[in-house]
Amino acid sequence: MIRRAVLVVLGLVWLGPTYLLLVNAARPAASYDPGRAWAPSSDFALFENFARALDSANLTQSLASTALYAVVSPLLGVLIGALAGYTIVVLRLRHGFFWFILIFGGTVFPSQMLLVPLFVGYSDAGLYDSRLGMILVYTAISVPLAAFVLRNFYTGVAFSIFEAARMDGASTWRIFWGIYLPISFSALTAVFILEFTFVWNDLIFGLTLTQTEDVRPVMTAIAGLMTDVYAGTPVPVGLAAGLVVSLPTVVLFLATQRLFARGLSLGSV
């Protein structure tokens, strides 16, 4: 009984910020009062606040760019990661573990360490503030996790499948596309969901590598909107923008949670 009460209290404390977000994002912008932030309003103005945020920060173009980054880059990342895992495990690449460490080792460095060289390199290469540049950096970030999961997955696949396909005359490329890629669909989907969520919610690379409204990710645009709170942007408008923009990742996870859990368990072999 005591344990259950403690868990309930901790759960309420944990959900407190979420409650404040929901209540104040749905509050009319003109009626926001910090002293009454815990009290819900009788008027529901969530979508009105979000529409105002769309106009204030021009979020439509940022949403389109973010959707492009969050779909294309994870897709390329999981494909390249699957190819890396297939080459290292199935094709038994010479010094395969070294190449795997080389691919995955980049994740040990904090993202903040990459910002200055990325900024300088992108500026010199003409990729700064471009959609192509953002797709490239998000793809590079997506590859290590995909390579890690798919390498583990392919380790658990019987090598006799590859040998039988080779005896039937299939090329290594055809075996990858026709056999190994389809059987790893669950693991690929799990990694894609994780990478989609990361790219959609990214702020730091968007702040560093973009500038214009049609290129910058949506979280960067919302961050700019929230910095204008003291300059006249109502708090409910910024909260409504952050809440509505975060919904796609929540919906995606809820819709694919069984496939997500199954893919991660398969990738941990």
Side-chain angles (χ1 to χ4, degrees), residues 9-169:
V9 172
L10 291 177
L12 292 175
V13 172
W14 178 264
L15 293 175
T18 304
Y19 169 80
L20 286 174
L21 171 64
L22 294 173
V23 167
N24 291 285
R27 187 188 306 277
S31 65
Y32 175 73
D33 181 7
R36 304 185 70 254
W38 288 92
S41 174
S42 58
D43 299 324
F44 184 81
L46 175 63
F47 298 109
E48 178 183 341
N49 292 334
F50 180 66
R52 183 171 174 179
L54 283 176
D55 295 333
S56 300
N58 197 10
L59 295 183
T60 304
Q61 293 182 349
S62 297
L63 281 169
S65 297
T66 304
L68 175 67
Y69 306 149
V71 173
V72 175
S73 295
L75 282 177
L76 292 174
V78 297
L79 178 59
I80 296 172
L83 282 169
Y86 174 76
T87 303
I88 293 171
V89 176
V90 182
L91 301 185
R92 299 181 177 179
L93 178 67
R94 188 177 181 183
H95 307 300
F97 185 73
F98 166 79
W99 292 109
F100 169 72
I101 293 298
L102 183 65
I103 295 172
F104 191 72
T107 59
V108 303
F109 299 103
S111 300
Q112 292 81 354
M113 292 181 60
L114 306 176
L115 296 181
V116 173
L118 271 177
F119 178 82
V120 174
Y122 269 51
S123 298
D124 293 341
L127 293 174
Y128 177 76
D129 196 33
S130 68
R131 289 183 173 178
L132 175 61
M134 296 305 294
I135 290 175
L136 289 177
V137 71
Y138 287 137
T139 300
I141 294 171
S142 301
V143 168
L145 177 62
F148 174 76
V149 174
L150 272 300
R151 173 184 174 273
N152 291 345
F153 178 84
Y154 292 145
T155 301
V157 178
F159 187 71
S160 58
I161 296 177
F162 176 80
E163 293 177 323
R166 289 292 291 166
M167 291 182 64
D168 290 338

Side-chain angles (χ1 to χ4, degrees), residues 196-229:
F196 178 94
T197 303
F198 170 80
V199 174
W200 187 274
N201 294 325
D202 173 64
L203 173 63
I204 188 170
F205 290 105
L207 283 173
T208 306
L209 301 177
T210 64
Q211 184 177 12
T212 55
E213 294 179 346
D214 60 334
V215 177
R216 65 183 181 182
V218 68
M219 291 303 172
T220 305
I222 292 178
L225 179 67
M226 293 302 294
T227 57
D228 293 334
V229 167

